[in-house]
Amino acid sequence: MLPRKELLQGYLLSALLLLPQQAVAFYLPGVAPTQYSANDSVPLHVNRLTPLQSDADAQLHSTVSYDYYHKAFHFCRPEQGPQDVGPESLGAVLFGDRIKTSPFELRMKQDETCKRLPCEPAKFDQRSAKFVNRRIWDNFAINWLVDGLPAATEYKESDDGPKFYSRGFALGGHKEDQVNQKPYLNNHFDLLIDYHHIGNEQYRVVGVLVRPSSRGGSKYLSPTLADCGNENVPLVLNEDGETEVAWTYGVYWRESPVAWAFRWNPYLRVEDPKIHWFSLVNSAVIVVFLTGTVSAILMRALKKDFARYNRLETFNLDDFSANGTSVEDGVQEDSGWKLVHGDVFRPPKNPLLLSVFLGNGTQLFFMTAITIIFALFGFLSPSNRGSLGTAMIVLYTLFGFVGGYTSARVYKTFGGEAWKQNILYTPVLVPGIVFGTFFILNFFLWIKGSAGAVPFTTMLVIVAIWFLVSLPLSFAGSWIGFKQPAFQAPVRTNQIPRQIPPSGSYLRPVPSMLLVGALPFGAIFVELYFVMNSIWFDKIYYMFGFLFLCYGIMIITCASVTIMFVYYLLCAEDYRWQWRAFTGAGASAIFVFLNALIYWLFRLRFSGWTSVILFVGYSSLLSFLFFLLTGTIGLFASWAFVHRIYGSIRID
């Protein structure tokens, strides 16, 4: 029978291997289901228009979204005007969701083949026609919600493969004629709504598909009737004159065996699971090889070092004279990392800035870990729009206490005296950089009239959360941190710093940063591709099992490679390891930013400077935060390693 320890390890390994499947198949809906009787009104709400890739063009052409009721689109409005639907979460507002009421009338199990909207025909002037045609060229998609479920377009990866849903449907398309391509506007929408019968003549909505079409010649015949036109004659907006457009729709109800709890499954497809598994196995092999190599090299080298250094402590100076060996020859044996024992714990330059970075990096570390764990167990359901963004903001705010405590304790260990500046800069410097960058980028969205522009009131809410919650928690953590004793070094620090000899080329700052930073990035770059697809192509990301494992692999890789780098740095008698460890591990952010530029080159093709500024700005901001995260992991791992090795030898 296996010992308890081995059984526990087996259970943990099995649980980790099953995490990706669990993350794909399980979620907490987060909202109570709504039952409808026959002929009950089913709400259809509208959201913003977003740029998406199309079957003909896989590249994204814009990062700017527009409100559904933007005056240039001339969509039909409700009689009382569009109203906001409920209070949206903070994360939903930050990510650009603008849910509003619509004039569409849906009745449970009541089919409609051709129905008009309660508006007069829209008249597109030249300016509106040019604006809408440009959005059609950029592959913009309309987003609706029926009973909280996104209206989608159906697609298959193969003819005999399963069906999946992609949120949104095309605003228009391109028509080829003998001269050039002309964009056409979709003015008729067929809604295919799946419902599930739960008994007692009660029904639930479990699927929404939209098949848009462009129909020239459509017109309104009466206040309730319409002629839906000819599907073979597309509606083309005239950029040199006025175009009249009649909006029509059809509704078709289909009974489905899918239960309400599983209605999100078609949206939560794992893209290319074989690639994910290959990436995960590849990263795991790299981290096992790297960790094994680091452990073997360090244990072998340190074992010899410990034996030699501790043996030298037992020698008497008379032993060298008796053997005809000079004292200098014997002392010469004391070289390498032990030679800098009197300087290795010397405070680094700019200890205030480093401690502030470490405090905020610790905040990011715990915020990221807890967010991924919550998402992994289904607490951040996609049916709760913006829950992921809200969780990140709330957790980062609450972990302000941890950031303040870490920054203060580290700064006190470094012997810093400007404690007031440390308490103030920790919750202000990095959040100020993030908020300032976000405010500037939001200004560009506001100029473009984008729906993604965060309202001024929401900005005030963020500032209020920052000042009323994050700052007090950080101040409390800093106060407790300064009350705690500093971390004691296992060896004394000399009063006069020793001279640092010239180092090899691979230990110089730039080459070492590139070498150390490459491996942590290599552990996550495939999963990073899918995360970026989710961000820029407005797709639902729900592969948190893979993300959790990649995050753990990145932590181990980052710690291992930084420890090895610091060991070789100390062997070269360079004791300035604190900043070198932080910047070396943080250099992964350089590869993250370069990866974003490569992603831009192959996956994006922007048609305006605003999209370029937004993409580069947000990529730079994410890279900066990744720099703080990985730098913090690398430095604390190196710190523990340095304390360990210098606490294991005897120093006079």
Side-chain angles (χ1 to χ4, degrees):
M1 187 171 181
L2 292 175
R4 174 182 291 182
K5 183 176 180 181
E6 293 185 9
L7 284 173
L8 180 60
Q9 291 175 348
Y11 292 149
L12 290 175
L13 179 60
S14 301
L16 286 175
L17 292 175
L18 289 174
L19 282 176
Q21 289 91 338
Q22 296 296 328
V24 172
F26 173 73
Y27 81 97
L28 300 177
V31 292
T34 303
Q35 284 80 240
Y36 301 94
S37 299
N39 206 38
D40 279 354
S41 177
V42 179
L44 187 153
H45 299 141
V46 296
N47 202 349
R48 57 181 177 154
L49 276 75
T50 54
L52 296 177
Q53 67 185 97
S54 65
D55 294 335
D57 187 359
Q59 290 184 316
L60 191 71
H61 293 265
S62 177
T63 60
V64 180
S65 59
Y66 291 95
D67 190 88
Y68 182 85
Y69 291 112
H70 190 286
K71 60 182 180 179
F73 293 114
H74 296 285
F75 288 126
C76 183
R77 296 168 175 258
E79 293 182 1
Q80 304 299 326
Q83 305 294 324
D84 292 332
V85 178
E88 287 292 335
S89 66
L90 181 59
V93 175
L94 291 177
F95 282 100
D97 282 338
R98 304 291 183 265
I99 315 298
K100 299 180 184 296
T101 56
S102 76
F104 290 87
E105 184 179 358
L106 309 181
R107 296 284 176 179
M108 175 60 72
K109 297 188 66 179
Q110 299 298 315
D111 290 350
E112 301 282 355
T113 56
C114 179
K115 189 171 183 178
R116 61 163 288 178
L117 288 168
C119 304
E120 293 299 320
K123 294 182 179 181
F124 286 77
D125 56 15
Q126 298 178 17
R127 185 174 182 180
S128 296
K130 290 180 180 179
F131 179 87
V132 174
N133 285 340
R134 182 63 178 271
R135 305 289 84 79
I136 294 174
W137 281 115
D138 288 342
N139 298 325
F140 267 70
I142 302 172
N143 293 280
W144 290 349
L145 296 166
V146 178
D147 190 47
L149 199 62
T153 304
E154 189 179 66
Y155 71 96
K156 293 182 178 180
E157 289 187 340
S158 59
D159 294 337
D160 56 348
K163 299 177 181 179
F164 300 105
Y165 291 172
S166 176
R167 291 189 300 175
F169 52 94
L171 173 64
H174 310 144
K175 174 179 173 55
E176 294 187 16
D177 61 12
Q178 295 179 354
V179 180
N180 53 19
Q181 286 188 336
K182 290 184 178 180
Y184 57 81
L185 175 67
N186 291 325
N187 62 327
H188 179 83
F189 311 99
D190 285 326
L191 288 92
L192 284 68
I193 305 178
D194 297 329
Y195 65 91
H196 181 69
H197 187 202
I198 61 173
N200 297 325
E201 299 301 320
Q202 296 292 306
Y203 310 94
R204 292 174 179 172
V205 176
V206 295
V208 182
L209 292 176
V210 176
R211 292 175 180 171
S213 57
S214 181
R215 301 189 178 188
S218 59
K219 55 186 176 181
Y220 298 153
L221 302 177
S222 70
T224 57
L225 299 177
D227 178 3
C228 287
N230 188 353
E231 190 173 356
N232 297 321
V233 181
L235 174 64
V236 178
L237 297 180
N238 185 6
E239 297 185 2
D240 298 322
E242 188 176 80
T243 308
E244 186 174 280
V245 177
W247 302 104
T248 58
Y249 66 101
V251 184
Y252 304 92
W253 296 88
R254 307 181 303 184
E255 187 170 1
S256 172
V258 177
W260 185 88
F262 300 100
R263 67 178 189 166
W264 278 90
N265 283 9
Y267 298 88
L268 304 180
R269 184 181 70 89
V270 177
E271 294 188 30
D272 300 321
K274 292 182 180 180
I275 295 179
H276 284 277
W277 279 115
F278 175 78
S279 170
L280 191 62
V281 172
N282 181 61
S283 299
V285 170
I286 290 176
V287 75
V288 169
F289 175 77
L290 179 64
T291 306
T293 303
V294 170
S295 302
I297 293 176
L298 294 185
M299 292 304 297
R300 183 177 181 182
L302 290 175
K303 186 176 181 181
K304 291 182 178 180
D305 290 343
F306 289 150
R308 184 172 73 251
Y309 294 149
N310 291 329
R311 186 174 65 251
L312 288 173
E313 295 293 335
T314 62
F315 287 163
N316 194 320
L317 293 180
D318 294 336
D319 296 334
F320 294 106
S321 300
N323 296 326
T325 306
S326 65
V327 175
E328 290 76 6
D329 293 336
V331 176
Q332 214 171 27
E333 291 292 328
D334 192 7
S335 61
W337 57 269
K338 188 184 178 185
L339 195 59
V340 296
H341 66 82
D343 299 275
V344 70
F345 292 102
R346 189 177 302 280
K349 293 182 179 179
N350 301 315
L352 178 60
L353 181 61
L354 183 57
S355 61
V356 169
F357 280 173
L358 288 174
N360 283 271
T362 305
Q363 266 184 271
L364 288 171
F365 176 82
F366 285 106
M367 179 270 289
T368 305
I370 300 300
T371 301
I372 294 176
I373 291 174
F374 279 1
L376 179 64
F377 287 102
F379 293 106
L380 304 180
S381 166
S383 61
N384 288 331
R385 290 181 301 276
S387 59
L388 183 64
T390 303
M392 294 172 67
I393 294 173
V394 171
L395 288 173
Y396 184 82
T397 301
L398 295 179
F399 281 121
F401 178 87
V402 177
Y405 177 85
T406 303
S407 177
R409 193 85 184 271
V410 169
Y411 187 61
K412 186 174 183 180
T413 302
F414 288 160
E417 298 179 353
W419 60 271
K420 293 181 180 179
Q421 288 90 327
N422 177 268
I423 293 176
L424 179 62
Y425 290 165
T426 300
V428 171
L429 180 61
V430 172
I433 293 173
V434 174
F435 183 81
T437 304
F438 179 76
F439 182 82
I440 294 173
L441 297 177
N442 191 69
F443 180 74
F444 285 97
L445 289 173
W446 178 76
I447 292 177
K448 292 287 290 185
S450 171
V454 178
F456 183 71
T457 53
T458 305
M459 302 287 277
L460 292 180
V461 170
I462 296 175
V463 173
I465 293 174
W466 185 8
F467 277 99
L468 298 180
V469 181
S470 182
L471 257 70
L473 286 175
S474 180
F475 289 166
S478 297
W479 182 79
I480 295 177
F482 278 115
K483 290 294 183 180
Q484 299 297 316
F487 295 109
Q488 296 298 320
V491 294
R492 294 189 303 270
T493 301
N494 297 333
Q495 294 183 353
I496 301 176
R498 64 179 286 112
Q499 186 176 1
I500 301 174
S503 58
S505 58
Y506 69 96
L507 290 178
R508 292 176 182 174
V510 174
S512 62
M513 288 173 61
L514 296 178
L515 290 173
V516 175
L519 288 175
F521 170 76
I524 63 165
F525 80 97
V526 173
E527 204 62 35
L528 182 63
Y529 170 81
F530 293 100
V531 172
M532 294 182 70
N533 272 352
S534 175
I535 294 174
W536 299 112
F537 285 88
D538 197 29
K539 295 182 178 180
I540 298 177
Y541 182 87
Y542 213 67
M543 296 166 283
F544 293 105
F546 291 107
L547 188 62
F548 175 78
L549 295 177
C550 285
Y551 187 65
I553 290 173
M554 185 204 70
I555 293 173
I556 298 173
T557 306
C558 193
S560 300
V561 71
T562 310
I563 288 174
M564 175 174 273
F565 166 66
V566 168
Y567 173 74
Y568 284 115
L569 192 69
L570 295 176
C571 287
E573 301 179 17
D574 189 346
Y575 52 83
R576 301 168 301 182
W577 60 272
Q578 293 96 336
W579 271 111
R580 297 293 299 276
F582 186 85
T583 56
S588 301
I590 297 175
F591 295 93
V592 171
F593 185 74
L594 292 177
N595 179 73
L597 297 181
I598 295 173
Y599 185 86
W600 175 17
L601 181 63
F602 289 99
R603 295 285 290 161
L604 311 174
R605 189 174 62 189
F606 296 133
S607 57
W609 280 105
T610 301
S611 297
V612 173
I613 293 172
L614 291 173
F615 179 81
V616 174
Y618 282 120
S619 298
S620 301
L621 186 59
L622 292 175
S623 299
F624 172 67
L625 297 177
F626 194 76
F627 167 76
L628 297 179
L629 174 64
T630 53
T632 300
I633 295 172
L635 190 141
F636 279 125
S638 302
W639 201 339
F641 167 73
V642 172
H643 264 262
R644 178 72 175 177
I645 63 172
Y646 283 96
S648 302
I649 59 175
R650 295 193 297 268
I651 304 292
D652 290 337

